[in-house]
Amino acid sequence: MPGWQGLILRVNLTKRKWVVQRLDPAVARDFIGGRGLAAKILWDELPPGVDPLSPHNKLIFAAGPLTGLPGPNFGKLVVAAKSPLTGGYGDGNIGSWAAVNLRKAGYDALVVEGRAERPVYIYIDGDKVEILDAGEYWGLNAWAVEEKLQKIHGRDAAVVTIGPAGENLVRFATVISQKGRSGGRPGMGAVMGSKNLKAVVVRGRGEIPLADKAQYQKLAVEAVKEGSSSPSYSFWMRQGTNSTVEWAQEASVLPAYNFTEGQFDEFSKIGGAMVEKFETDLKSCPLCFMACGHWVPAESGTVEVDYENIAMLGSNLGIGDLQKVAELNRIADTLGMDTISLGNVLGFVMEASERGLGDRLGFVVEWGDFEAARQLAYDTAYRRGVGDLLAEGVRRISERIGGEDFAIHVKGLEVSAYDCHAAPAMALAYATSPIGAHHKDAWVISWEVKTDRLGYTKEKAAKVVELQRIRGGWFETFVGCRFPWVEVGLSLDWYPKIFKAATGLDATPDYFNEVGDRIYALIRAFWIREYGWWSREMDMPPKKWFKQPLSKGPLKGARLDYDGYNKLLDYYYEIRGWDARGVPTRETLERLGLGYVAEQLSKFIEL
Ligand code: PTT
């Protein structure tokens, strides 16, 4: 099976045993790898309704057949599990040398099961696997642990780790690598912490088998050449994702004051131009030709900033100072928490304070109060005082103290940094994302702002599905970074050709799209099984975008319309072959080769 290594490493921390299992070629064909493989394992192996923080959950690091190969940015790894934040399927995509090394060690995936009695880390060096004591690292921040482990195992040993937030089971704790990469927004770091697993260290020196090595190398070199000679390449290299601040301001989609507005008066103090001015360093994921890691000074050192981080910890909190925003980002990175969820949590408590709910929180914090935000960020990571509540995420906080009308999440995952008062298709993208409100599967907004912006058309629903197929299907399964395509316009045509040279399989766009549809239906089935019920209310965007119009800017007065949105949702379900509740029909499941899923699902919901 060229392309794939054909092996999955399973480490059981309870039994302190590991086994190597063959990857079934039929599974590789139908699910490819990455998210597809992770979703299949979770569906097949998790006991329904399992507590995500129990030893029965599985933490999966899944590569795809392109992961680890030189070419247009294949240094990425999916990290997945049942989410402790949402109770549904959760994953993230982290850029790390661990992705490359895992594949070179001979595996397509690592599945971590059980729970260690004491803190441990997993050390993998080819076919040598050890479970080692991590007692002395527990409690250390993510950056410090990586440095220490590389001192012991060498700089060519790649490390993914958690910080104190993961240890303390903060529901939006992430997995951290290489100081600037954070993956697994829906609490993958907490799942790792629940297993008493501080880190995975992986060294790999083998080859990744290719169907046609010469052809692969030729295509990889040509694709990188095309990408790096794109007209947008040099601006991208100067500002990366950070220029989105200025773009979002212009388009009135920059989240401000807990997604109350789409513009922020002080946007220029935290935008791409400011990042460019103060940049101290530029770093990338492995094997990447378009580094996106722009480092800037924070109060306690330097840190990588990205658009999402800046918007969520800056404009969304009313903080218009890059160095302060960077400091909040640095706290999140070192302690191992997702910046998007943290920005939502802090925005929620600022709004709750403004609305007079401070007595229920036990404190009041004003918009733009950096000192308070910093303290609350630490308290959250360590679950100190009110931080114990904040660590639960926006949905649970609002259930506890009220404020559901301004709790900005979908299915429990906090919304990433695009305000949707005036962006119905983007609202649909958030609401139907397979992990909860994240932009990764369909960043439709850049297209939507150029169309009939406030319209609720079938074309918009179709565009969301199209993007979900490509971003959530193609890139999350062969596992590579989507930025070459999204940001510098590398043609999608390269990927089937590259895939064929790697695997020998004739992969048409239709093949990738069908795999994407299969995975979407499977993940939706997983959510339904874990919740034990389903309704279209689960696919609704946050209430605020319907109820509270924008109060300023060129789109003043704009808000989502309930009937219009429901129409959009109906179109979406129709295209996907799901019923009016958002449940894949039996015919759809069978058409996608998921008859066995239909059988099990019908025990939980009428099909
Ligand atoms: C990703 C999410 C994003 S998406 C950002 S910025 W972005 C935030 N980054 C965080 C961070 O940093 N520190 C932190 N403590 N929390 C953070 N949370 C947020 O996490 C790097 C890039 C980016 S930067 C994006 S869009 C693209 N994402 C891809 C994806 O999802 N799939 C894919 N096939 N290719 C992608 N390429 C791009 O990769 P999650 P990363 Mg990723 C400091 O992790 O869980 O998916 O959430 O992580 O390796 O850093 O991605 O403007």
Side-chain angles (χ1 to χ4, degrees), residues 76 79 91-96 174 176 179-186 241 285 292 303-309 329 332-334 336-340 418 435 438-440 471 475-476 479-483:
K76 301 280 276 183
V79 48
D91 73 18
N93 194 319
I94 187 165
S96 169
T174 54
I176 302 284
K179 297 187 176 172
R181 323 300 334 171
S182 157
R185 289 195 54 212
T241 62
C285 295
C292 67
V303 69
E304 172 183 330
V305 286
D306 291 287
Y307 166 68
E308 303 293 328
N309 308 354
N329 192 157
D333 279 9
T334 50
M337 294 181 280
D338 178 49
T339 51
I340 296 172
Y418 301 94
I435 62 169
H438 193 34
H439 61 288
K440 72 188 276 169
R471 296 164 66 108
F475 286 94
E476 299 307 318
V479 190
C481 179
R482 59 172 188 259
F483 276 169

Side-chain angles (χ1 to χ4, degrees), residues 82 95 142 236 281 378 389:
K82 179 174 175 181
W236 167 264
D281 205 353
Y378 277 115
L389 174 61

